[in-house]
């Protein structure tokens, strides 16, 4: 299987590349200098030249402030790029998978099943929801793979890029980094945050995506774990999983300078029961997710 991965140097994308490599797929992961996904002509030319069996579209413009100040670029980076990828996939007869997010929901729908209608409350969620529509209505063989509260390591840049933000991303690894260095960890809790979600290890989400490609599964999939959790519980259970005292976790108010002013969906729990049944996968509980993360961190540190 030959798979083109856009955004392959990013956090989620690099883990997708890792898992596809593990399954002996032939992976194409061009950087932005090699392929600008907002350039429809360039995307079509690249796909025509390489003839992938599938395209996993994980590329995003990861700049929350920029999404507000340059809306034209934001639209093209998300919706325009998705349209370009889908059209090129259709011409090549390739299966296309869009990596989407639990933030397409407004925070009142949890736990949301795969057929729940999106209702985003911020720019990022809106752009992802609009991109989902492109796949649902335009792709001849299309899959929407929603992920949530992604934990793991960045395969291209193993050090955690931030301690935490309004979402859950990197939280478990950040806890481990702080406690291993002898520091206490201050987990945020309060208004303006995503406070309930369904975490998944980045490599587990990638396994869902590989299985979808292998089985030619289309439609909307929830590529998440099997256990919902709040931020404070995730931080404390992460401490325990890594062999530290959970009492070294302090609960504090969020940093407003980092959180920003846009609304954030409070409860983005996803129900992945139908996805697990469709793909024949068992949803990992939080303990399993954290133990797998611990092994991954040990592997890169050894």
């Amino acid at each position: 299987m030959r798979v083109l991965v856009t955004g392959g140097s990013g956090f989620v994308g690099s883990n997708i590349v890792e898992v596809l490599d593990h399954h002996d797929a032939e992976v194409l992961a061009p950087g932005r200098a090699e392929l600008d996904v907002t350039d429809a002509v360039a995307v079509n030319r690249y796909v025509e030249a390489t003839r992938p069996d599938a395209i996993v579209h994980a590329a995003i413009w990861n700049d929350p402030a920029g999404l507000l100040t340059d809306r034209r670029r934001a639209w093209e980076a998300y919706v325009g790029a998705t349209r370009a990828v889908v059209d090129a996939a259709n011409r090549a007869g390739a299966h296309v998978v869009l990596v989407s997010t639990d933030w397409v929901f407004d925070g009142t729908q949890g736990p949301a099943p795969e057929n729940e209608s999106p209702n985003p409350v911020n720019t990022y969620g809106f752009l992802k929801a609009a991109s989902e529509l492109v796949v649902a209505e335009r792709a001849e063989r299309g899959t929407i793979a929603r992920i949530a509260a992604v934990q793991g390591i960045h395969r291209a840049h193993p050090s955690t890029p931030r301690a935490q933000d309004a979402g859950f991303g990197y939280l478990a690894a950040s806890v481990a980094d702080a406690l291993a260095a002898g520091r206490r960890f201050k987990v945020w809790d309060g208004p303006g945050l995503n406070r309930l979600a369904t975490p998944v290890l980045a490599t587990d989400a990638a396994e869902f995506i590989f299985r979808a490609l292998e089985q030619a599964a289309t439609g909307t999939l929830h590529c998440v774990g099997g256990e919902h959790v709040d931020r404070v519980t995730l931080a404390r259970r992460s401490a325990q999983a890594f062999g530290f005292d959970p009492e070294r976790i302090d609960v504090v108010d969020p940093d407003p300078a980092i959180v920003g002013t846009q609304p954030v969906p409070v409860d983005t729990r996803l129900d992945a029961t139908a996805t697990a049944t469709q793909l024949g996968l068992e949803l990992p509980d939080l303990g399993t997710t954290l133990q797998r993360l611990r092994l991954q961190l040990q592997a890169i540190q050894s």
Side-chain angles (χ1 to χ4, degrees):
M1 181 190 302
R2 177 180 292 175
V3 185
L4 166 61
V5 180
T6 71
S9 61
F11 173 38
V12 174
S14 66
N15 280 279
I16 293 171
V17 170
E18 177 82 9
V19 168
L20 291 172
D21 281 338
H22 175 75
H23 287 291
D24 295 323
E26 181 183 352
V27 181
L28 307 169
R32 180 177 172 80
E34 188 178 356
L35 178 62
D36 178 0
V37 292
T38 66
D39 183 338
V41 173
V43 172
N44 189 59
R45 185 183 299 120
Y46 188 93
V47 171
E48 280 188 339
T50 57
R51 306 303 295 182
D53 301 299
I55 305 174
V56 180
H57 182 38
I60 62 169
W61 182 30
N62 190 15
D63 182 354
L67 298 184
L68 291 174
T69 57
D70 193 342
R71 300 201 175 209
R72 183 179 296 278
R73 179 181 174 185
W75 180 265
E76 289 306 318
Y78 284 78
V79 185
T82 303
R83 185 186 299 115
V85 168
V86 167
D87 287 351
N90 286 346
R91 293 187 188 100
H95 185 167
V96 62
V97 178
L98 169 70
V99 178
S100 192
T101 174
D102 54 338
W103 280 29
V104 298
F105 296 114
D106 65 6
T108 65
Q109 297 152 303
E114 291 85 346
N115 61 356
E116 185 70 60
S117 298
N119 186 27
V121 295
N122 56 33
T123 303
Y124 173 67
F126 167 76
L127 291 168
K128 278 295 191 180
S131 299
E132 287 190 3
L133 277 176
V134 172
V135 175
E137 297 184 353
R138 202 176 184 105
E140 294 173 5
R141 289 197 295 146
T143 304
I144 295 162
R146 292 184 185 136
I147 59 177
V150 185
Q151 308 304 309
I153 57 176
H154 195 309
R155 300 286 167 171
H157 309 285
S159 60
T160 53
R162 58 183 181 271
Q164 59 189 311
D165 55 21
F168 278 64
Y170 294 108
L171 185 58
S174 296
V175 168
D177 283 352
L179 299 186
R183 303 189 304 271
R184 300 182 70 85
F185 187 85
K186 297 179 180 181
V187 61
W188 296 345
D189 192 31
L193 298 174
N194 183 196
R195 300 174 76 180
L196 280 167
T198 312
V200 66
L201 190 63
T203 47
D204 285 345
E207 287 286 352
F208 276 78
I209 290 170
F210 172 75
R211 186 70 67 93
L213 294 176
E214 188 178 48
Q215 298 181 12
T218 58
T220 300
L221 304 176
H222 283 176
C223 303
V224 297
E227 189 173 343
H228 314 304
V229 71
D230 63 82
R231 299 174 67 89
V232 176
T233 299
L234 176 58
R236 289 177 174 156
R237 289 186 61 181
S238 297
Q240 290 178 312
F242 284 88
F244 298 109
D245 184 355
E247 293 301 317
R248 291 172 62 189
I249 303 293
D250 300 318
V251 183
V252 301
D253 291 333
D255 182 345
I258 297 177
V259 171
T261 59
Q262 281 223 307
V264 172
V266 175
D267 177 359
T268 59
R269 291 171 296 158
L270 298 182
D271 181 349
T273 306
T275 295
T277 300
Q278 181 178 355
L279 299 182
L281 290 170
E282 183 175 346
L283 300 176
D285 60 23
L286 184 59
T288 300
T289 295
L290 293 173
Q291 286 303 320
R292 288 174 180 169
L293 174 57
R294 183 177 185 177
L295 291 174
Q296 290 179 3
L297 287 170
Q298 289 173 343
I300 66 168
Q301 292 164 358
S302 61

